[in-house]
C-alpha cells in the first residue's frame, strides 16, 4: 500500500543537498504529498529541485495534507540530524506519523524520539542501520552475470540516478537487469540494499559481495556507486565497493562545471582522463574492467553547452556519452549491451 | 606500573595468526609471564613465535604464574572470539584478572562476561571499540611534518613492526619521530591510536587525519599501515588510511615466499613492481608520494636466500632494502632521513 509521505528538507531545498528528497520524488513507490521547508514555502518541488511537478512546499505540518510518513530528505556530510529539525520530527510523531531517516545519527538511538514513538505507536526507521560482519571472499561469483558499477569524479554527481535509469531502460527493453542499492537513498527507492558507508570498514567489501551473491541470478547487475576514489573523505567506501562488487565494467559519471571536491573546496578534481585511469586501475587488479561509457550530468549548463560537452567527451574518450536525464539513457544502454555481447568480460 | 600478563592464543600459536601475541611480547610495556595454549604446552614463546626467550607456554591458568591481565593474542579474519575460549576468559575473570581484547566481537557486549566482570570487580577492555564520527577535511596539516606510511603487498606482512622499528631507530639517533598506531596490536603496545578497520567506513580517513593533526608537532610521523590495496577484503581500510594520513612517503613491506592473498588462496598477489605502482598512484593524487624503501620480511627463508633477495630487490627497484629484524632498520632509517633532507616533499 502506498503511504502518503511528507519530505522534510527545512533549509536545505536544493538539488545537491536534498538529493534524497529529489530521488524519492523521482523514483519512490510512495505518494509524496508535500515537501516541508519554511524558507521556500509556497514554491513547488519542480521549481526548487527540478522534479515532482506541482508537489507543494509548505512551511509546517499544519499546512500540509494529512500523511502517514515523515521522511528526512537530506544526507549531509557526517550525517547528523540538524538540531532545528527536532521539533518537527517530534510533532510528526505526535500526529501518528512514522519517521524514516538515512542519516548516521539514528532516530532509534535518540531517547526523546523513541519515547515519543512508543507513546504514539509509530515506527522510526533508520535506513543506514546495519549489522554487517562478513569479509569479502571472492568466491561463488557467477561468471556470466555482468556486473556494471557506476563510479564518479566526485561524490553526489548522479551515480545512483544513472544506475537506476540504466536498469529501468534495460528492463523496459526486455533484459533481465537488476539495480543494487548501496546507499540510503537507493535503499529508500528500491526497498532493498545495504548502506555501505555506514558499515564497519573491515566489512564493506563483504557487505557488497553478499548483495552480489544474492542477486546474481539476474543477467545484468547495475550497481550504485558511492563517493569517488579521489575524494579523500570517502575513498575508503568507494574502493571497498569496487573490490566487493568485482565489476567487469564501469560507467563513469561526472557533472559539468564541477571543479573542486565536494566539501573540500581547496582541492581541485583531477582531469577526467585521470579519474578514468584511476578507476580502471583499481577495478582491474585481478581481471579487466574498463570504463564503457560516460554519464554526464549537465543540469548546471545550457542545452548548447551540454551538447558541445557531449561531443567533446565522445571524441576525447572514444566512448558513448549521454546525460541520462536530458538525453535519455539509450546510448549507455547500448554500450552495456554491446559490452555484454562482446564476451571480453567472461574471463 | 607494569602488569603481569598472560597471553591467550589457544590453538593459534604461530607467528602469522598470533601476531598480536608476538608484538605484545616484542614491544609491550607489561611483563608477559606466560602464554596459554594447551596444544603446545611445555614449549617457549621463542620456539613457537621466535620472540620472548624463555617465556613458558602453559596448558591452563593453574599452571601459569599469578597475573593481573589476560590478553587475547590473536586477530582472526572477521575478528570473532573462538567459542572454546569462553571458559578460560571466564576463569580469568573469576580469578580477578582484567581481560583485554582487540577483536571485532567486544567483551563488553557479552552479557556473561560483563556480569562476571562486575561480580569480580575486573575491567574488560576492547581495544577496537571506537566512536569515530568525523570526516577527513584535508585542512591544517603541517607542511614540514614528514608523514611516512607503511604499505604492504598483503595483510600481516610486518607493516606495524617496520613502523615501530623505524620509529625506535630514528628516536635512538636523536630524531623527533613518533609512531601512529592504526590497529589493535599497535594500540596495545603504544597505548594510543585508533583501530581504523573497526571505524564506520565514512569516517576512516577522518579518524586517521585526527591522529595526524594531534601528533604533527613531531618532525616525523611513522604511520602503521593496514591491509593492502590489492586485498579485496580489506582494501577499503587501506585506501582510507592512505587518504587520511596523506603521507609524503611510503615504505613498501613484503614477505618473501608469500604467493597468494591471505585468506583468499585462489588469488595470486600481483608482482611487487605493480604493488609499488598502485600504492604510489593512490597516494599521489594531490601531491607526490613515492615509495622510498622496501622492508622485506624474510623469516620464512634461509639467511642466504634473504641476502640474495635483498640484492635482487635493490637492483630491481633502485631503493634501499632490508629486513628490519634480520638486518636491522638502518638502511631504511637512512632512506627516511635522506628523503627528509631532500626537500622534495615540502610542496
Amino acid at each position: 500500500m502506498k503511504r502518503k509521505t511528507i519530505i522534510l528538507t527545512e533549509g536545505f531545498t536544493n538539488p545537491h543537498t536534498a538529493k534524497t528528497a529529489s530521488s524519492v520524488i523521482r523514483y519512490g513507490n510512495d505518494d509524496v504529498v508535500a515537501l516541508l521547508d519554511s524558507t521556500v514555502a509556497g514554491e513547488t518541488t519542480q521549481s526548487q529541485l527540478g522534479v515532482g511537478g506541482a508537489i507543494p512546499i509548505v512551511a509546517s505540518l499544519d499546512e500540509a495534507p494529512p500523511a502517514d510518513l515523515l521522511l528526512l530528505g537530506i544526507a549531509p556530510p557526517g550525517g547528523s540530524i540538524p538540531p532545528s529539525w527536532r521539533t518537527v520530527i517530534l510533532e510528526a510523531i505526535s500526529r501518528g506519523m512514522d519517521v524514516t531517516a538515512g542519516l548516521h545519527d539514528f532516530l532509534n538511538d535518540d531517547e526523546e524520539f523513541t519515547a515519543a514513538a512508543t507513546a504514539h505507536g509509530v515506527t522510526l526507521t533508520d535506513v543506514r542501520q546495519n549489522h554487517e560482519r562478513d569479509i569479502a571472499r571472492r568466491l561463488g561469483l557467477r561468471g556470466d552475470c555482468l556486473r556494471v558499477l557506476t563510479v564518479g569524479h566526485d561524490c553526489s554527481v548522479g551515480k545512483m540516478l544513472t544506475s537506476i535509469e540504466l536498469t529501468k531502460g534495460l528492463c523496459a527493453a526486455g533484459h533481465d537487469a537488476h539495480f543494487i542499492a548501496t546507499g540510503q537513498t537507493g535503499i529508500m527507492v528500491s526497498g532493498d540494499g545495504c548502506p555501505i558507508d555506514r558499515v564497519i570498514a573491515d566489512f564493506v567489501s563483504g557487505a557488497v559481495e553478499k548483495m552480489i551473491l544474492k542477486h546474481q541470478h539476474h543477467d545484468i547487475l547495475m550497481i550504485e556507486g558511492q563517493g569517488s576514489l579521489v575524494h579523500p573523505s570517502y575513498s575508503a567506501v568507494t574502493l571497498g565497493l569496487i573490490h566487493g562488487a568485482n565489476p567487469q565494467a564501469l560507467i563513469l559519471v561526472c557533472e559539468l562545471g564541477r571543479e573542486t571536491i565536494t566539501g573540500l573546496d581547496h582541492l581541485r578534481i583531477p582531469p577526467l582522463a585521470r579519474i578514468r585511469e584511476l578507476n580502471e586501475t583499481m577495478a582491474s587488479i585481478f581481471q579487466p574492467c574498463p570504463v564503457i561509457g560516460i554519464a554526464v550530468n549537465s543540469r548546471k549548463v545550457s542545452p548548447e553547452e551540454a551538447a558541445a560537452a557531449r561531443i567533446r567527451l565522445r571524441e576525447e574518450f572514444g566512448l558513448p556519452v549521454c546525460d541520462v536525464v536530458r538525453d535519455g539513457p539509450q546510448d549507455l544502454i547500448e554500450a552495456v549491451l554491446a559490452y555484454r555481447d562482446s564476451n571480453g568480460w567472461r574471463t
Side-chain angles (χ1 to χ4, degrees), chain A:
Chain A
M1 201 186 71
K2 289 196 175 199
R3 293 174 299 182
K4 293 192 184 303
T5 301
I6 296 171
I7 303 180
L8 176 62
T9 54
E10 181 70 30
F12 295 93
T13 308
N14 63 72
H16 189 72
T17 314
K19 70 173 183 171
T20 298
S22 304
S23 300
V24 168
I25 293 170
R26 196 185 294 271
Y27 298 118
N29 286 318
D30 292 329
D31 279 333
V32 178
V33 297
L35 191 133
L36 202 165
D37 181 353
S38 63
T39 67
V40 284
E43 301 289 336
T44 65
T45 62
Q46 189 72 43
S47 74
Q48 300 301 302
L49 301 176
V51 66
I55 295 174
I57 302 181
V58 300
S60 69
L61 289 175
D62 280 336
E63 297 173 20
D68 313 303
L69 175 70
L70 182 73
L71 187 143
L72 277 51
I74 65 167
S80 295
I81 297 173
S84 62
W85 287 23
R86 297 188 63 86
T87 313
V88 67
I89 292 169
L90 289 166
E91 191 188 341
I93 293 171
S94 73
R95 290 172 182 234
M97 296 169 69
D98 294 332
V99 184
T100 290
L103 305 174
H104 279 296
D105 280 356
F106 292 153
L107 300 169
N108 284 295
D109 284 347
D110 186 298
E111 289 182 15
E112 194 177 8
F113 291 154
T114 54
T118 303
H120 295 278
V122 307
T123 301
L124 308 178
T125 302
D126 292 299
V127 175
R128 256 188 178 136
Q129 177 64 275
N130 73 88
H131 301 91
E132 295 299 330
R133 288 292 291 275
D134 298 297
I135 64 167
R137 299 283 183 191
R138 277 288 168 101
L139 288 172
L141 290 169
R142 190 164 79 87
D144 50 357
C145 166
L146 174 58
R147 301 176 295 272
V148 182
L149 174 68
T150 45
V151 294
H153 72 148
D154 192 13
C155 64
S156 305
V157 290
K159 295 182 293 293
M160 184 196 72
L161 184 144
T162 300
S163 295
I164 291 177
E165 289 294 339
L166 290 181
T167 307
K168 287 161 67 101
L170 284 163
C171 290
H175 299 284
D176 177 22
H178 183 78
F179 169 67
I180 302 274
T182 62
Q184 65 277 3
T185 306
I187 297 167
M188 285 178 188
V189 302
S190 74
D192 192 16
C194 178
I196 63 162
D197 62 3
R198 225 290 172 186
V199 171
I200 293 170
D202 250 0
F203 308 121
V204 169
S205 52
V208 175
E209 189 178 88
K210 207 156 56 176
M211 287 191 282
I212 300 295
L213 294 173
K214 179 179 170 189
H215 294 289
Q216 63 177 349
H217 56 280
H218 295 287
D219 292 339
I220 303 173
L221 296 180
M222 300 298 308
I223 305 150
E224 177 191 2
Q226 289 294 333
S228 163
L229 280 183
V230 302
H231 198 306
S233 313
Y234 308 123
S235 58
V237 180
T238 309
L239 188 59
L241 172 53
I242 289 174
H243 285 170
N246 197 13
Q248 301 103 333
L250 305 173
I251 302 278
L252 177 56
V253 187
C254 62
E255 184 178 37
L256 296 179
R258 183 91 62 113
E259 301 290 343
T260 57
I261 305 267
T262 294
L264 307 177
D265 294 339
H266 53 299
L267 294 184
R268 290 190 69 78
I269 299 174
L272 200 60
R274 178 83 175 128
I275 304 277
R276 173 198 193 175
E277 185 189 13
L278 289 169
N279 279 282
E280 289 184 335
T281 297
M282 295 313 294
S284 301
I285 293 173
F286 296 105
Q287 92 224 339
C289 179
V291 170
I292 61 169
I294 297 176
V296 59
N297 172 345
S298 59
R299 69 181 163 82
K300 283 187 190 157
V301 306
S302 69
E304 295 71 28
E305 287 174 288
R310 199 174 164 187
I311 292 167
R312 181 175 51 73
L313 288 170
R314 264 192 204 132
E315 282 175 4
E316 178 181 351
F317 291 93
L319 289 171
V321 179
C322 62
D323 182 321
V324 296
V325 174
R326 209 161 201 164
D327 310 316
Q330 197 53 38
D331 284 12
L332 290 176
I333 288 171
E334 285 167 17
V336 170
L337 293 173
Y339 185 71
R340 182 201 59 180
D341 295 340
S342 73
N343 272 311
W345 56 279
R346 287 193 183 88
T347 51

